[in-house]
Structures are given as structure tokens and as C-alpha cells.
Amino acid sequence: MSETAIRPKLVAASAGDRLRKAAPLLLAPVMALAGLIAIADPATWLTLTVAGLAMGLMIFIMASGLTVVFGLMDVINFGHGAFVSVGAFVGFTVLAWLAGWTENPAVIMNLAAVFLAILASMAVTGVLGLAFERVIVAPVYGHHLKQILVTMGGLIVAQQLIHVVWGPDAIHVARPQSLRGSVIVFDAVIEKYRLFAVAIGLVLFLGMRHVLRSTKVGLLVRAGVENGEMVEALGYRIRRLFLVVFMVGSALAGLGGVMWGLYNETITAHMGSDLMVLVFIVVIIGGLGSIEGCFIGALLVGLLSNYMTFLAPKVALVSTIALMVGVLMWRPEGLYPVVKAK
Amino acid sequence: MADPLLTLSGVHTHIGPYHILQGVDLVVPRGGVSVLLGRNGAGKSTTLRTIMGLLKPSRGEIRFDGRLIGGTPTPAISRAGIAYVPENMGVFSDLTVGENMQLAATQGAFDATRLSWIKALFPPIATFWEKPAGTLSGGQKQMLAVARAIIEPRRLILIDEPSKGLAPAIVTAMTRALGELKETDTTILLVEQNFAMASALGDTVSVMDDGRVVHAGDMAELSGDAGMQERLMGLSLEVHQ
């Protein structure tokens, strides 16, 4: 085919299309600005904004695995909350073993204890994810109703196992010494742990983005979300890829569990299932299967929850659901709907 | 026919409750272009999907180079040397043209000579290498789909209606490109409704109807016999030209 036979010409995206694609990126800054106007006190606003970002990023960590698992294999995993709870309890156990490190005034010892707790949680929930996928999810591929039922069942079993191992009561989790208390920034009181959570969340998001954009595995995941059949036709085993993604998603949920446990300073067997409401809201707002959408959705939910708790505590309970309804009325398939091959 | 590359013997395929392929017998010789013709719903695309392992045959035998591949997982069939260009092109619209090509290069690095040849064959591949594939036109997507299938040497390429929905000028260009591809060692099994394209490229032809192959022979023979076309296809193929 010669150059003269076909003159290559790209279909240029219209200004409207470009704006439509970029609009969701503006939502979080717009919400932060609206929060500043409504709260009217910059110091309070800064405190709430950092709290909102920390909360949003922790939810993002938990939700990212769920959304990719759905995008890649159309699997609705209601058992995802089990990994959050198990992660929190494993993290608590490791921190309890390392009490000497967490009570040590040296920052490095405190951080080492937290990172070891995170690593142990991710390892346990990753392996648990492998077993969950093989035993519970694999037999019900392609059957959404069965997936909901069996993954809910898996969640209940996991919660009961937590009761057996750690007991039925809520457990207090003490933050390491250097993550307790607050710092004053521009007259705003900001909890040190929230800054730590924001840092971990951002590093994870950037790492995840790098993997998805710049590595072959990332390309395969993105391609698989769009058209798994074609990925197989190119010679890749998508089931194996899915298994890896499921394990990583479970491990991230475990990491989210540790972070959330330290944030709330209390953990329970049902904390994961309680959080699933927020996690599903974030995944739906973002567009099922979209990491970028999930990230923006999580920030919106985190910021809105914190602003509304300050401005109108009674409304705060329904604010995130109202946000989801609003987004779906604007974009029925979420902020960044994943285009599935037909 | 001596030692064909691909044979289907009595292949049946069900999709849910529907019995689509009802005993397909098909022989694809080594080299050249074998064309699969037939009306809409005759089972042509299902035949390609069954060969590729995307649908599991409920009965019958599929042999590729003498080896049984019926029911084998799709990735294994791909690695055996069969590439597939589906009717919907299967282009990953979120990925750039380059990333689409990179995924198809399963050995890792590109063969520079082969990539240059492909870029000369399909100029938009080079021009839009960094652009998201979703922004390409229909014709450009079709070129990407075929380019992706041939980025590594394949023994058999299954192409499903490459002319569908394309402007006549693009169809002519695509016919020329496939003609050039035909001169290589690759064997092509082409499903096509555009008879002009099919007859320009085809060496052998099989006609399907109601989930079975009802005629197999030389393309030249069918092209030159309007009566046979009328009888096999149920309508004059002239209207497709």
C-alpha cells in the first residue's frame, strides 16, 4: 500500500470532546474551592482538606483492586471487604509483636514497624486472594448473580474466621509514637498520620499509574479490561493475568485495612464490609474498571465527607450517595467509563 | 489435496442454545488465500472463532499442520502460529498504535526489517504511532488490526471481513496490501462479503450455508460462473461488485 494510495489523516477530537474528557479532572479542585467558600475559614478548610485527601486515598487503595478485577473479568467481588478486615488484623498483630519498635521515640523504628505490618498484611491477603479466586470466584465466571452470592458467603466465612482467631470484640490499635499528634501548618491543625496516609496513597497511585502506562503487564491489563478475548488471541493467558491482578488487588485491600485501622485506631471483623459501601460508591462514580476514575471518585468522596461532617453533620451521612447520584445523572456510566469491545 | 495446513472435519459449534456450525468440513491448503463466502448468518465468523479457540466445538476435529487443536485454549493456538483479525477489528482504543503493536510482538522486541515493511504497507501505522488507536478512522483501525496480526511471522492468518464498512478507496488499498502479504509464506483464510475483493485475492473458495460448507473449489471457477454464484449464494454476486 503506497503513501499515495491512502493519505493518512487522523480524526481530530473536537474541543467539546476534549473538554468532556478533561472535565472530571477539575471536579476535585472545584470541590475543594467550594469547600473553602462554604467553610470560610482557611485553617479549618486546610485541616478538613488534608483529612479528606487522606480518607480518599485510603479508600482508593482499597477500591483500585476491585475496579480492575471487575474491568478485567467482569467479576463482582462482594468479598473484597474480607481482605480489608484480614489485612487490618494481621497488621495489628505485627504491630503488637513490634510494640518495642512502635513505642520507641526513633521515627525510623516506628516507620519500620508500620512497613513490616503492611508487608505482612499484603503477603497474607495476597495469598488469601489467590485461594479466594481459585476456590470461590473461578467456578462462577460469567454468572453475576452467583458471584454476588458466593463472594458474600466468602466474606461471612472470613469474618467468622477473624472472630475465631482474634475474638469477636473490637480491638484498639495504637499508632506508633511518631505518627501520633498533630503539626501546625498555616494555623491549621493537621494530624501527622493523615499526612503519612496521603504520602503512602500518592506514592501508590503514581506507582500504579507507572505500571499501567509504562510496563507490558500494565498494557496487558489495560488491553484486557477493554477486550480480554483479543488479548488471548494475541497469545496471552488472561486467566493468569487476572489471577495476578486479583492477588495484587487483595494485597492492596489488606494494605488499605492496615492504614484504615491505624486511622480509626479501632478494628473489627466487619470493618471491611462496612467500608465496602464507600468503596462501591467510589468504583461506580469512577466508572467500573477505570483506575483514574476510581482515584478521582475516591478524592471526591473523601473531601465531601469531611466538608459535610463539619458543615452539616446530619447531611453528611447521605452526601456520598447524593454525590454518586449526581455523577450518574451527569455521566450514567461513571466519570471514565471503560469502553468494552462488543 | 496434499498435506493441507488446516482441516476441519464435521465441526459442530453451539452458542448457548443455538446450533450454529452443523458439521463444517473445510480444507485450507498451504500458502495463498482461501476465501470463505456465504450469506449473513451462514456461520463464517463462527468458523473462524471456533478455529481460534474462542468457541469450543461440540463435535468434530480441527487439525492445524496435522496437530489436533480443537478445544485448545486460544493463547496456545495463537502461539502455534495462527493470528486472528476479528470482524470488530479488536483494536485496543485506549492504547496507542505503538502499544497495540507492542502487545502483538509477543517475542518482545520488534524485528526492524519487518516493522519497516509493515509501515510501508500501511503508512498510517507510522504516522499515528504515538496516537491512541481509538482516535483512528475505521480504515486506519482495520490496517492496524492487520498490521498487528503480521508483526511477527505467522503461518496462518484468519481475517474476518476486512472490507466491512470501509470506503471503496480504502478497500482497494486493503486489497493491494493483502495481495502483497499473499506473496509471503503466510497462508490467509479470508471471510469476505465483498466479492470483488474475494475474487481478486482468493485462490480457493468455500461457500457456507446454514452452518455447513456447501461448495469448495477454485476461486477462478466460481468467479467465472454466474450460474454457480446464483445457485450457491441464493442471489447474484454481481450486486456485490
Side-chain angles (χ1 to χ4, degrees):
Chain A
M1 195 178 294
S2 69
E3 282 279 356
T4 49
I6 293 174
R7 238 175 250 117
K9 212 172 12 173
L10 195 67
V11 181
S14 68
D17 281 348
R18 284 201 294 270
L19 183 66
R20 189 179 148 75
K21 201 171 177 194
L25 296 174
L26 301 173
L27 287 179
V30 166
M31 183 171 285
L33 190 63
L36 179 60
I37 293 165
I39 293 161
D41 174 24
T44 308
W45 172 80
L46 186 56
T47 301
L48 293 172
T49 301
V50 173
L53 291 177
M55 178 184 168
L57 286 166
M58 281 186 278
I59 295 171
F60 166 72
I61 293 170
M62 296 178 231
S64 53
L66 189 71
T67 198
V68 178
V69 160
F70 181 84
L72 205 56
M73 294 297 272
D74 261 1
V75 167
I76 302 173
N77 180 14
F78 274 72
H80 197 67
F83 308 122
V84 174
S85 300
V86 170
F89 277 87
V90 172
F92 155 75
T93 305
V94 173
L95 286 173
W97 284 339
L98 299 174
W101 294 18
T102 58
E103 293 308 320
N104 194 305
V107 177
I108 190 84
M109 296 294 275
N110 294 175
L111 292 182
V114 173
F115 283 119
L116 281 177
I118 285 173
L119 280 179
S121 293
M122 291 181 78
V124 170
T125 49
V127 172
L128 190 65
L130 172 71
F132 200 87
E133 198 279 340
R134 289 290 84 190
V135 177
I136 293 178
V137 177
V140 290
Y141 275 130
H143 305 283
H144 282 159
L145 184 60
K146 287 180 184 172
Q147 283 167 12
I148 292 170
L149 292 173
V150 299
T151 56
M152 285 283 264
L155 174 67
I156 293 167
V157 170
Q159 285 175 343
Q160 295 309 309
L161 286 174
I162 289 173
H163 285 169
V164 170
V165 178
W166 285 281
D169 299 325
I171 294 177
H172 173 71
V173 183
R175 289 179 195 164
Q177 258 205 20
S178 55
L179 294 177
R180 294 174 198 158
S182 309
V183 289
I184 307 290
V185 181
F186 300 118
D187 290 336
V189 181
I190 294 174
E191 276 190 32
K192 290 179 192 169
Y193 182 73
R194 287 176 176 168
L195 288 175
F196 176 72
V198 168
I200 296 280
L202 282 178
V203 166
L204 265 171
F205 172 67
L206 293 174
M208 219 180 279
R209 205 178 142 80
H210 172 74
V211 169
L212 286 172
R213 296 272 156 199
S214 312
T215 67
K216 189 142 189 178
V217 171
L219 286 186
L220 280 170
V221 171
R222 285 164 59 209
V225 165
E226 190 178 330
N227 189 344
E229 197 175 270
M230 197 61 222
V231 170
E232 291 223 296
L234 289 176
Y236 301 98
R237 293 177 200 167
I238 201 155
R239 282 282 170 99
R240 194 178 282 183
L241 177 69
F242 175 69
L243 192 57
V244 171
V245 169
F246 200 95
M247 283 179 71
V248 172
S250 308
L252 286 174
L255 162 60
V258 179
M259 299 293 293
W260 195 265
L262 284 167
Y263 174 67
N264 267 351
E265 298 185 279
T266 304
I267 56 172
T268 63
H270 53 82
M271 63 181 276
S273 51
D274 295 345
L275 278 165
M276 275 304 101
V277 177
L278 278 181
V279 166
F280 271 108
I281 287 174
V282 162
V283 168
I284 291 166
I285 286 176
L288 294 163
S290 162
I291 285 280
E292 279 87 357
C294 177
F295 180 71
I296 294 171
L299 293 187
L300 291 176
V301 164
L303 289 173
L304 186 67
S305 293
N306 279 273
Y307 293 155
M308 293 310 290
T309 305
F310 175 78
L311 292 166
K314 286 183 182 169
V315 182
L317 289 170
V318 293
S319 63
T320 48
I321 292 176
L323 173 70
M324 181 179 73
V325 171
V327 168
L328 293 184
M329 285 172 75
W330 175 42
R331 293 194 171 183
E333 291 178 67
L335 295 176
Y336 285 112
V338 172
V339 181
K340 287 270 185 189
K342 295 192 172 63
Chain B
M1 192 180 295
D3 192 21
L5 182 63
L6 179 79
T7 51
L8 280 73
S9 314
V11 171
H12 291 250
T13 300
H14 290 75
I15 301 178
Y18 303 104
H19 192 176
I20 308 293
L21 300 189
Q22 303 180 15
V24 171
D25 296 304
L26 177 70
V27 177
V28 176
R30 289 171 195 273
V33 175
S34 296
V35 177
L36 201 51
L37 287 174
R39 284 180 285 197
N40 283 338
K44 307 181 297 294
S45 297
T46 304
T47 302
L48 294 197
R49 290 173 62 77
T50 304
I51 295 167
M52 204 59 210
L54 295 166
L55 294 169
K56 204 171 174 185
S58 40
R59 219 173 340 139
E61 213 178 74
I62 305 175
R63 280 184 187 274
F64 176 62
D65 203 14
R67 245 176 4 114
L68 276 174
I69 59 163
T72 305
T74 303
I77 291 174
S78 169
R79 286 195 297 274
I82 304 182
Y84 175 51
V85 181
E87 195 178 349
N88 67 4
M89 297 176 262
V91 162
F92 305 118
S93 54
D94 186 41
L95 273 55
T96 64
V97 170
E99 286 170 340
N100 268 275
M101 296 293 284
Q102 200 182 327
L103 278 191
T106 51
Q107 306 299 320
F110 291 119
D111 175 338
T113 315
R114 196 168 179 89
L115 185 60
S116 302
W117 169 64
I118 288 171
K119 284 178 176 177
L121 205 58
F122 302 116
I125 300 298
T127 312
F128 303 127
W129 188 259
E130 300 287 341
K131 299 286 180 192
T135 58
L136 302 179
S137 68
Q140 290 159 353
K141 280 182 187 161
Q142 190 61 265
M143 289 176 207
L144 173 58
V146 176
R148 208 172 50 178
I150 58 174
I151 187 64
E152 285 175 347
R154 307 285 188 173
R155 300 173 65 201
L156 173 66
I157 304 180
L158 314 176
I159 308 181
D160 199 349
E161 293 206 45
S163 72
K164 192 178 175 185
L166 302 186
I170 307 282
V171 173
T172 308
M174 183 62 76
T175 307
R176 212 177 303 146
L178 292 179
E180 196 172 318
L181 184 61
K182 182 180 162 180
E183 301 308 316
T184 65
D185 286 342
T186 309
T187 303
I188 299 173
L189 175 56
L190 177 71
V191 164
E192 189 49 69
Q193 299 251 28
N194 181 322
F195 193 71
M197 186 181 198
S199 57
L201 291 167
D203 299 306
T204 62
V205 62
S206 300
V207 181
M208 288 190 74
D209 198 18
D210 286 337
R212 290 188 189 90
V213 171
V214 293
H215 168 82
D218 287 339
M219 189 74 218
E221 185 191 358
L222 181 64
S223 296
D225 189 338
M228 188 190 278
Q229 293 168 21
E230 174 80 32
R231 183 167 50 79
L232 290 171
M233 310 290 289
L235 74 168
S236 170
L237 289 170
E238 296 286 329
V239 298
H240 290 290
Q241 293 181 46

